[in-house]
Amino acid sequence: MSTVVTHSKGFGIAEDRPERVDVRRRRAGFDTRQLTQGCLVPVLTLPQESRMPEPTSPTPPPERLSLRWALILLAAVVAGLLAGLLTYAQSRNWPASILAALGASGAALVSLPLLL
């Protein structure tokens, strides 16, 4: 088995005696193990970053809203609108109607999942 000794300018010489290969040249993209014995040939390899990534499976689509929760949210919106409009019609006070709408919607969101 031959080992490689690297020299300046990225050239490598294959020899029969074991020598240490310069680690900086190996990181720079020179693969000196591919040299044949006695030849002086520059060998370049592709860096790790330029390789194509492995294909991955596509992500599954997010789950849709169930019919049960769609009905609960719709009922909460209707309860809030109804309470807000009735409060505004009675008192002509819009802050009170907003509070009534939020209270009715909150109560519907808490109680309807237990009923349905």
Side-chain angles (χ1 to χ4, degrees):
M1 177 173 134
S2 65
T3 59
V4 176
V5 179
T6 59
H7 296 287
S8 64
K9 297 183 182 178
F11 289 95
I13 299 175
E15 295 182 1
D16 287 332
R17 58 193 160 118
E19 296 285 337
R20 290 190 176 188
V21 177
D22 191 6
V23 176
R24 288 175 291 177
R25 295 207 187 279
R26 190 178 303 157
R27 287 184 189 154
F30 291 99
D31 188 5
T32 54
R33 291 175 294 180
Q34 295 177 356
L35 295 175
T36 57
Q37 185 170 354
C39 294
L40 185 62
V41 180
V43 178
L44 297 176
T45 60
L46 294 175
Q48 294 274 342
E49 295 81 28
S50 66
R51 292 186 181 157
M52 295 289 290
E54 292 291 326
T56 58
S57 62
T59 58
E63 290 187 24
R64 299 172 70 185
L65 188 64
S66 68
L67 182 62
R68 177 178 180 255
W69 279 104
L71 181 64
I72 290 170
L73 291 175
L74 180 66
V77 168
V78 168
L81 283 174
L82 186 63
L85 287 175
L86 289 176
T87 305
Y88 185 74
Q90 181 183 4
S91 66
R92 299 283 183 206
N93 187 2
W94 63 270
S97 66
I98 291 176
L99 285 176
L102 290 175
S105 294
L109 284 176
V110 170
S111 63
L112 285 178
L114 300 174
L115 296 174
L116 296 177

